[in-house]
Amino acid sequence: MDTAEQKDDISAEPAAGYVPLHLTLKGFKGIRSGLGRDVLALDLEAICGDATLVAFSGANGRGKSTIIDNLHPYLVMPSRASADGLGAFSYYDHLHLPECEKVLVWRHAGVRYKTHLVFRMNGRRKTEAFLFVDDGGAWRPVQLADGTVVDGKVDTYEQAVVSILGPADTFFTSVFSAQGKRPLSAFKNSEIKSLLGDLLGLEQIREHGARAAETARLLKAGLSVVRSEQGQAADLVSRLTGQIAAAGDSTAAVEAAAAAKQAAASELAEAQSRMAQMEVEAAGAESTERRRAELHRDREKASAQIQAAAKRAKEESARLDQRQAALQQRSTSRRRQHAERERQLQSRRAGLVRTLDLAWAIDHAVRREPLASRVVELRRERLQHAQAVVDTAERYKEQVRRCSQEVAGIEREAGQLALRQADLQRRYGLALSVPCAGTDLQGRCQLLGDAHEAKAMLPSVDGQLAQLADRKRETLAQKTQAEGALGTLAGAGELRNLAEARLERAEATLSAMRLSAARQGELEQARAGIAAADDELQSLGAAALEETDEERVEREAIEEARRRATCEAEAAHAEATARLEVANRALADLPAPFDTRALTTAREVRARAERAVQTADTRHQEAVRNQAQLAALRTQLHTAQREQANCDVRAARIEQSLSQWSLLSKCLSNDGVIALDIDDAGPTFAALANDLLLACYGPRFTLEVCTQTATAKGELREDFDIIVHDGQRGEAKSLKLVSGGERVWINECLTRAIALYLAGNTGRRFGALFSDEADGPLDPEHKRMFMEMKREVLRLGGYEREFYVSQTPELTALADVVIDLDAMARPEGEVEVTT
């Protein structure tokens, strides 16, 4: 089928691919900052109607990219992610509420689906992804081909979306142009071949190639194991050969070991005979040695009895010494207590005698206390009278001070009035010297009026001066009277101080007398205490210095125990000494002891002979064992040689299979069959792009898809490049080398050509296209052509509509429906739709 027929078939078929119908976003930062809303709901099905071009308009930062980035069900916002929308991305960087949601209702292949994403950030972050399908008006979870139900797990959700719409990289390369998207000219060879392989439906071939590569990888791993086994088998053969060569003649070694064993047995028999003879001699001397041992034990017991008797005598002497010391301590303590008690009684009696010596002073104080009280009362009255006189003198002093102050105030006031009087007289004197006096002008002359006013005020000032003079005379008279009365009271303060001193002395005398009188009861107590102390001192006497009966009985008991212990120790020592002498005489009568060194030497010789027999037997057994091991080594060598040959056969077979599977994986890779299919599809893909360029931008540019390039040696190698032929300039160059603006709309034609090829050749159809500010570098004329290209793509591909964002008002106005986001930012604003 040629390109024209393919285009007719594409445009004739009804669009049944992916189309978004309703979008609800909750908690997205872009919506919050741009529109001031936490929730945004767009009913695109009702807003768009039958429109084909739908534009989102609004100032920068209104949230246009946030909306268009969420018009698909994949778990990514492509303009916010790297690697063409497939790199690192996290929804949580673009959310602000504790619980955020994205609800997208969409249609594909005539079936309605609903995506419901829930993002929780209150504590531990969690994402739940649900996908529902419309089942007769009710939403039910989507079920995968293997029976798995999409129940909120992210992995299950992504598998379901891919099974319905295909891989995300194909979607974002063909139908979704995000901000910052790489142009096709920037794709690497492997990336563009993977993309075109998916467009051509070569996934099964790639899967077979991957399986072949996996098989080759497993064969390589198996070959490594077999080669390792080869090396181990070779090492084993070499090691066994060396061990067999090092073993030598095992039969001769066995015969030599048997002869050595027989000689050692003969030496052992001779040593045992000598040992038996020595043991007979030792048995005859055994009874004598037993008697000798008994006598030695008797000597040790006698010596131990002597030491024990001496120890008991020493311990008894120490115990009696402790009793003697305790008796002496008790006697000394008793005498010390007697002396201390006598001292206390003497001290107490002396204190009581001193109290009786004060009897005359106490009786005198009792008799004179009333008189002293009367003297205190009289002197207190005299002090009160003297204080009253002093108060009167203070009042006279205050009166004199007050009169002096009043006279000074009168003099100051009189001085001020005198100054005022002189001023009035001066002003009155001007009346005689004023020129206008006696003329018609004297009624209007201010100086003359002032002089007459001063003349009227002079009598009042004179009266005030007279009153002040009278007040001064009266005040001076009061002062003189107060000073005379104060003179009669001179010396009142000294008299008051003398009265205070006398009162203090009288009160001190009265207090001392009262204290002495209070001790009158102590006199009787002192007399009774002296009598009691004399009686107790007399009862103590000198008896305390003599030994008590108890002390005497204890002393005699200690002396008797000391004599008894001495007698017992002497008797025990005599008995033990006699036993020791008897044992010594018996030891002297015994014969000389048996010489055990000969017996020990015989035993050592026998032991050496036994060890020699054991060593010879061990060597004989080792020789026999080595002979058996040598036979086993020869058997192992034959087995190892067979295993080595087997490994060589297996390695050769695996190497042959590995070369076949490696060749198959290369044939089914991007550089094999897929590259051939891409070569076949290249003309069709280029024709679709050229048709779009011709329809929108005229015949100036045509594209050529090259999948192979020549090396420096003239050989062809796999590559991918898009050559742009410029008919106006008559040149051809790579798409990477054209200008920025030309690259934009050529790349857009290539992208849309991919979408057309995808719909026409693979059957994977999409009902809507998406582009976000893809017209930035274009000039005004090419922007108009850019919009014509959009409509041409919609017509050729049979697409239902395209959603796009543009910052050019003229391009926005060319849309069939404009969704104004500025209107939504107003308080209580509704979605404004213009057609």
Side-chain angles (χ1 to χ4, degrees):
M1 181 183 293
D2 59 13
T3 305
E5 295 175 350
Q6 185 180 16
K7 290 188 292 183
D8 295 339
D9 291 343
I10 294 174
S11 59
E13 295 178 359
Y18 170 80
V19 177
L21 303 177
H22 190 281
L23 175 66
T24 301
L25 299 178
K26 176 183 176 182
F28 280 73
K29 291 181 180 179
I31 303 302
R32 177 65 179 176
S33 62
L35 302 178
R37 297 186 176 191
D38 291 331
V39 180
L40 172 68
L42 292 176
D43 188 355
L44 300 175
E45 189 175 21
I47 294 173
C48 299
D50 56 354
T52 56
L53 287 178
V54 179
F56 291 94
S57 69
N60 289 332
R62 282 296 185 204
K64 300 184 295 297
S65 294
T66 300
I67 295 174
I68 201 168
D69 277 351
N70 284 281
L71 289 180
H72 60 84
Y74 295 98
L75 293 179
V76 67
M77 295 171 64
S79 65
R80 304 296 195 272
S82 60
D84 303 312
L86 300 174
F89 173 76
S90 174
Y91 267 108
Y92 297 105
D93 297 336
H94 307 278
L95 306 174
H96 69 91
L97 292 180
E99 182 172 309
C100 307
E101 293 181 84
K102 169 185 173 180
V103 180
L104 175 66
V105 179
W106 46 282
R107 184 181 70 244
H108 182 72
V111 180
R112 283 178 176 257
Y113 298 91
K114 181 171 75 172
T115 291
H116 189 183
L117 306 180
V118 181
F119 309 96
R120 293 184 174 87
M121 298 192 296
N122 48 355
R124 182 179 178 183
R125 292 181 174 181
K126 183 179 181 182
T127 301
E128 292 180 338
F130 301 92
L131 182 61
F132 303 95
V133 62
D134 187 3
D135 187 7
W139 295 107
R140 63 173 178 82
V142 171
Q143 188 173 6
L144 300 179
D146 59 358
T148 304
V149 177
V150 181
D151 56 355
K153 296 183 178 62
V154 174
D155 294 340
T156 308
Y157 172 83
E158 290 180 335
Q159 293 177 15
V161 173
V162 171
S163 66
I164 297 172
L165 297 180
D169 52 357
T170 303
F171 180 83
F172 291 116
T173 303
S174 60
V175 300
F176 200 108
S177 296
Q179 287 190 35
K181 176 184 176 181
R182 285 188 305 165
L184 290 177
S185 58
F187 276 47
K188 298 179 180 178
N189 183 27
S190 59
E191 293 176 333
I192 196 65
K193 286 187 176 180
S194 297
L195 173 64
L196 294 178
D198 180 67
L199 294 177
L200 296 172
L202 304 177
E203 297 88 350
Q204 188 174 4
I205 295 177
R206 187 180 289 112
E207 290 175 2
H208 288 316
R211 292 196 188 103
E214 179 66 15
T215 303
R217 187 186 67 79
L218 295 176
L219 286 173
K220 285 181 181 179
L223 181 60
S224 299
V225 173
V226 172
R227 285 176 176 171
S228 176
E229 293 177 357
Q230 273 184 304
Q232 293 175 1
D235 293 341
L236 180 59
V237 169
S238 177
R239 180 170 56 83
L240 291 175
T241 303
Q243 290 178 355
I244 291 173
D249 190 358
S250 60
T251 304
V254 171
E255 293 176 353
K261 178 179 178 183
Q262 185 176 1
S266 300
E267 292 178 0
L268 176 61
E270 183 179 352
Q272 288 176 346
S273 176
R274 176 61 180 165
M275 180 65 192
Q277 182 181 357
M278 295 300 297
E279 288 178 348
V280 170
E281 294 176 0
E286 184 176 357
S287 59
T288 302
E289 294 302 322
R290 283 199 299 268
R291 177 57 181 164
R292 196 188 308 278
E294 290 177 359
L295 291 175
H296 280 297
R297 285 194 294 271
D298 290 341
R299 290 181 75 255
E300 291 175 357
K301 289 180 181 179
S303 299
Q305 287 179 358
I306 293 173
Q307 294 176 359
K311 183 178 180 182
R312 286 195 301 271
K314 185 177 180 181
E315 292 176 351
E316 182 64 18
S317 177
R319 188 180 64 81
L320 293 175
D321 290 342
Q322 291 179 355
R323 287 180 64 185
Q324 184 70 32
L327 175 61
Q328 184 67 28
Q329 186 178 4
R330 289 198 300 272
S331 177
T332 303
S333 178
R334 178 177 59 79
R335 290 188 180 91
R336 189 184 300 113
Q337 291 176 359
H338 177 271
E340 179 65 20
R341 180 57 181 166
E342 185 177 1
R343 187 189 61 76
Q344 292 177 355
L345 290 174
Q346 292 292 350
S347 177
R348 180 182 177 191
R349 188 180 185 282
L352 295 175
V353 169
R354 285 194 299 271
T355 301
L356 288 177
D357 292 342
L358 299 174
W360 180 87
I362 293 172
D363 293 339
H364 178 74
V366 171
R367 290 193 306 272
R368 299 286 291 178
E369 182 183 2
L371 179 60
S373 299
R374 179 59 183 163
V375 171
V376 168
E377 291 177 359
L378 291 175
R379 289 186 176 178
R380 186 176 288 113
E381 292 176 357
R382 290 178 183 176
L383 177 62
Q384 292 175 355
H385 181 268
Q387 183 65 39
V389 173
V390 170
D391 294 342
T392 302
E394 291 295 329
R395 285 196 298 273
Y396 282 131
K397 288 180 181 180
E398 178 64 22
Q399 185 177 1
V400 170
R401 184 185 62 78
R402 191 169 56 252
C403 289
S404 298
Q405 291 177 352
E406 188 174 354
V407 168
I410 291 173
E411 289 177 351
R412 286 195 300 272
E413 188 176 356
Q416 292 175 357
L417 288 174
L419 292 175
R420 184 178 182 186
Q421 184 182 33
D423 181 62
L424 291 174
Q425 289 176 354
R426 181 186 59 77
R427 288 162 58 191
Y428 176 66
L430 294 175
L432 301 177
S433 59
V434 173
C436 61
T439 65
D440 296 337
L441 297 176
Q442 64 180 1
R444 296 192 301 274
C445 182
Q446 186 174 359
L447 291 176
L448 187 61
D450 190 24
H452 289 308
E453 183 180 359
K455 179 181 179 182
M457 294 174 63
L458 278 173
S460 64
V461 173
D462 294 338
Q464 291 177 1
L465 289 173
Q467 291 177 1
L468 290 175
D470 295 339
R471 285 177 56 195
K472 182 177 180 182
R473 285 193 297 274
E474 293 177 358
T475 303
L476 290 174
Q478 293 177 1
K479 178 180 179 183
T480 302
Q481 183 180 358
E483 288 176 345
L486 185 62
T488 60
L489 299 177
E494 290 77 1
L495 293 175
R496 190 268 315 273
N497 295 337
L498 180 61
E500 286 181 350
R502 289 177 177 177
L503 176 61
E504 290 176 357
R505 288 196 298 273
E507 288 178 345
T509 302
L510 178 61
S511 177
M513 287 183 176
R514 286 178 177 175
L515 290 175
S516 298
R519 300 182 62 184
Q520 186 177 9
E522 295 180 6
L523 297 176
E524 295 299 330
Q525 295 178 1
R527 294 186 184 96
I530 291 173
D534 291 340
D535 293 341
E536 188 172 354
L537 287 172
Q538 186 177 2
S539 64
L540 290 175
L545 301 176
E546 298 177 358
E547 185 180 33
T548 62
D549 295 339
E550 181 182 357
E551 292 173 350
R552 179 177 52 78
V553 171
E554 178 67 14
R555 180 176 54 76
E556 292 175 353
I558 292 172
E559 293 174 353
E560 179 64 25
R562 196 180 298 278
R563 286 192 297 271
R564 186 170 58 251
T566 302
C567 294
E568 291 177 355
E570 291 175 353
H573 184 270
E575 180 184 358
T577 301
R579 292 179 59 189
L580 182 60
E581 292 177 353
V582 171
N584 288 335
R585 288 194 297 270
L587 283 172
D589 295 338
L590 291 176
F594 176 74
D595 186 7
T596 59
R597 288 179 295 178
L599 178 60
T600 302
T601 301
R603 287 174 178 171
E604 292 177 354
V605 171
R606 186 189 66 176
R608 285 197 297 271
E610 290 176 348
R611 289 196 295 271
V613 170
Q614 292 177 356
T615 302
D617 184 62
T618 301
R619 290 176 178 173
H620 179 263
Q621 293 177 2
E622 184 178 357
V624 174
R625 198 163 44 248
N626 289 338
Q627 188 178 25
Q629 289 178 355
L630 183 59
L633 287 175
R634 290 192 178 96
T635 304
Q636 291 180 10
L637 177 60
H638 294 313
T639 304
Q641 289 173 346
R642 288 196 302 270
E643 183 66 25
Q644 183 180 15
N646 186 23
C647 289
D648 293 341
V649 173
R650 290 168 54 200
R653 188 167 61 251
I654 293 175
E655 288 174 352
Q656 182 180 4
S657 299
L658 176 61
S659 62
Q660 295 173 354
W661 284 103
S662 299
L663 178 60
L664 179 61
S665 65
K666 186 174 182 180
C667 292
L668 298 180
S669 65
N670 285 340
D671 295 333
V673 175
I674 295 178
L676 296 176
D677 287 340
I678 293 175
D679 290 341
D680 293 339
T684 304
F685 172 66
L688 290 172
N690 289 330
D691 288 343
L692 289 176
L693 287 173
L694 178 62
C696 304
Y697 302 104
R700 176 181 175 183
F701 293 106
T702 56
L703 304 180
E704 178 186 0
V705 177
C706 296
T707 59
Q708 288 182 329
T709 57
T711 63
K713 296 181 180 180
E715 299 176 352
L716 294 178
R717 65 177 179 86
E718 293 297 326
D719 196 3
F720 185 86
D721 196 7
I722 298 175
I723 305 300
V724 180
H725 296 275
D726 190 344
Q728 181 177 342
R729 298 173 182 171
E731 61 181 8
K733 54 185 175 181
S734 174
L735 178 60
K736 303 174 184 178
L737 303 178
V738 301
S739 65
E742 293 172 346
R743 188 185 304 119
V744 168
W745 44 270
I746 292 175
N747 184 76
E748 192 66 19
C749 288
L750 288 171
T751 301
R752 297 316 180 194
I754 290 174
L756 294 175
Y757 189 90
L758 187 67
N761 289 70
T762 66
R764 189 180 299 163
R765 305 182 61 84
F766 294 96
L769 301 176
F770 307 88
S771 61
D772 187 1
E773 299 185 10
D775 60 320
L778 300 180
D779 55 40
E781 179 61 23
H782 284 92
K783 286 186 177 183
R784 182 187 61 77
M785 296 180 180
F786 186 71
M787 292 302 296
E788 294 178 358
M789 186 268 293
K790 288 182 179 292
R791 293 190 181 275
E792 182 66 14
V793 170
L794 293 176
R795 184 186 66 81
L796 293 176
Y799 293 102
E800 189 170 333
R801 64 178 56 91
E802 178 177 354
F803 297 91
Y804 70 94
V805 175
S806 176
Q807 294 297 340
T808 304
E810 293 80 5
L811 297 188
T812 302
L814 293 176
D816 300 323
V817 171
V818 178
I819 300 177
D820 186 4
L821 297 184
D822 289 334
M824 300 179 66
R826 295 192 298 268
E828 303 299 329
E830 298 294 337
V831 179
E832 181 176 344
V833 180
T834 60
T835 59

